[in-house]
Amino acid sequence: MSEQNDNWERGVLEKLAMSAIQEQRRARHWSILFKVLTFGYLFILLYLFMGWGESKKESPLGGSNHTALVNLHGVIAADTAANADDIISSLQDAFEDAHTQGVVLRINSPGGSPVQAGYINDEIRRLRAKHPSIPLYVVVEDICASGGYYIAAAADKIFVNKASMVGSIGVLMDGFGFTGTMEKLGVERRLITAGENKGFLDPFSPANPAQSEYARQMVGEIHQQFIDVVRQGRGQRLKQSPELFSGLVWTGERSIELGLADAEGSLDSVAREVIKAENIVDFTVHEGLADRLAQRFGAGVASALPGFMAKLDRTAIH
């Protein structure tokens, strides 16, 4: 009887031991699987963020002549789709393609940063000088104002719709003053600076006449730079008008009369009738999946990854 009990206990223990071993094996297999999936997921993210999957831009039409298109839409700024780096890269690709017969920069922008617009204007002039046989035309959609027109002025010709809005050759610096509101609320501004103009145009302090005058001079200098760029680009086509550089915006039809634009035209009509290459290839740099992920998750992803990787390391050690 004792021997039977011993055999029964031994059998139970063996079963428990085998069950524990099998459970450990299953846990180890699941752990390995999850680690493989995790590293695979991280590798895909890295693959997208590093742009390893992006191929060099080639002629999508397999060697046929075409009109190269670059779109500039929205506010011109370093942190928007209409930033100088992307637009310049797009233009360079368009000009350097062996089968490009002409480049159309299609603009629909109210303006933006004079610095970003200046970079693009300078690059257009450089590319036109480097590739004299390839014309660059601007086609205006709804609006080409301020910084948008700063860029357009560098083109060989500007085509508009009769109802397009063109111009706004001016510069502004805006802000707010809250001193009256602060007085009503009983709020006292305590501003300590080193340098008499360090609090330049501080919205919570009374307006300083000397600083305001300096700001007007600075804006005036930038305005004159804008005027010089337009005169250089448009030359004798500009009509003499006292309101030309006043900051007003004109319809496309009126802009042709003033010499700010050359003729009415669309992307298709310019490609077909002016460039003589009906096939249109879009060379615009488009926001990729990696960029969208970066904007959506932002710094949160970057801050979470170190802790996540540390957790993986600890799991691997155990």
Side-chain angles (χ1 to χ4, degrees), residues 18-309:
M18 289 300 298
S19 178
I21 292 172
Q22 290 175 355
E23 184 65 28
Q24 288 179 352
R25 287 176 179 173
R26 282 196 295 268
R28 188 179 298 110
H29 291 160
W30 280 110
S31 176
I32 293 172
L33 176 61
F34 281 121
K35 289 174 184 176
V36 169
L37 291 175
T38 299
F39 280 111
Y41 175 73
L42 292 175
F43 177 78
I44 291 172
L45 284 180
L46 183 62
Y47 181 86
L48 293 172
F49 274 96
M50 296 298 292
W52 293 338
E54 297 178 1
S55 58
K56 289 286 186 179
K57 188 182 292 266
E58 300 176 355
S59 284
L61 297 177
S64 62
N65 292 338
H66 56 254
T67 293
L69 168 66
V70 175
N71 286 308
L72 192 161
H73 291 167
V75 176
I76 303 163
D79 57 352
T80 68
N83 66 83
D85 288 342
D86 285 350
I87 299 301
I88 287 173
S89 177
S90 303
L91 290 169
Q92 290 171 345
D93 286 343
F95 270 94
E96 291 169 4
D97 189 286
H99 301 284
T100 293
Q101 301 302 294
V103 179
V104 171
L105 178 60
R106 183 165 57 179
I107 297 178
N108 192 359
S109 172
S113 164
V115 175
Q116 295 289 305
Y119 287 151
I120 300 170
N121 181 287
D122 291 343
E123 182 62 15
I124 290 174
R125 295 182 186 280
R126 187 190 74 83
L127 289 170
R128 286 179 58 200
K130 183 179 179 180
H131 304 275
S133 62
I134 301 176
L136 182 141
Y137 303 121
V138 161
V139 170
V140 177
E141 291 191 318
D142 297 281
I143 185 168
C144 179
S146 195
Y149 192 78
Y150 192 112
I151 293 169
D156 288 284
K157 289 184 178 180
I158 300 174
F159 295 88
V160 297
N161 182 275
K162 61 184 178 182
S164 298
M165 304 301 290
V166 181
S168 187
I169 303 173
V171 182
L172 62 82
M173 178 185 292
D174 59 357
F176 298 92
F178 298 98
T179 52
T181 301
M182 291 170 62
E183 289 177 1
K184 291 180 180 179
L185 295 175
V187 178
E188 178 186 359
R189 172 64 163 164
R190 296 175 179 176
L191 178 65
I192 300 173
T193 65
E196 58 181 330
N197 291 306
K198 188 61 180 177
F200 184 74
L201 298 181
D202 174 53
F204 301 103
S205 300
N208 183 312
Q211 291 180 356
S212 298
E213 178 59 29
Y214 181 83
R216 277 189 286 270
Q217 292 177 6
M218 185 166 55
V219 170
E221 291 176 10
I222 300 174
H223 187 206
Q224 187 59 53
Q225 294 169 6
F226 195 169
I227 294 171
D228 293 341
V229 165
V230 173
R231 289 193 184 281
Q232 181 182 4
R234 301 299 298 169
Q236 297 301 315
R237 290 173 288 187
L238 287 175
K239 303 299 188 293
Q240 296 301 319
S241 170
E243 295 181 330
L244 195 63
F245 304 119
S246 68
L248 285 176
V249 179
W250 290 274
T251 64
E253 189 173 34
R254 178 63 175 148
S255 71
I256 296 173
E257 296 175 3
L258 292 170
L260 294 172
D262 296 283
E264 291 186 27
S266 64
L267 170 62
D268 290 334
S269 68
V270 171
R272 180 178 60 252
E273 300 168 11
V274 182
I275 299 176
K276 309 294 185 183
E278 291 189 52
N279 292 323
I280 299 171
V281 178
D282 189 354
F283 283 82
T284 310
V285 172
H286 295 287
E287 185 181 55
L289 175 61
D291 298 318
R292 291 195 295 270
L293 286 173
Q295 290 180 359
R296 177 168 296 185
F297 296 110
V301 173
S303 62
L305 280 176
F308 185 54
M309 291 302 294

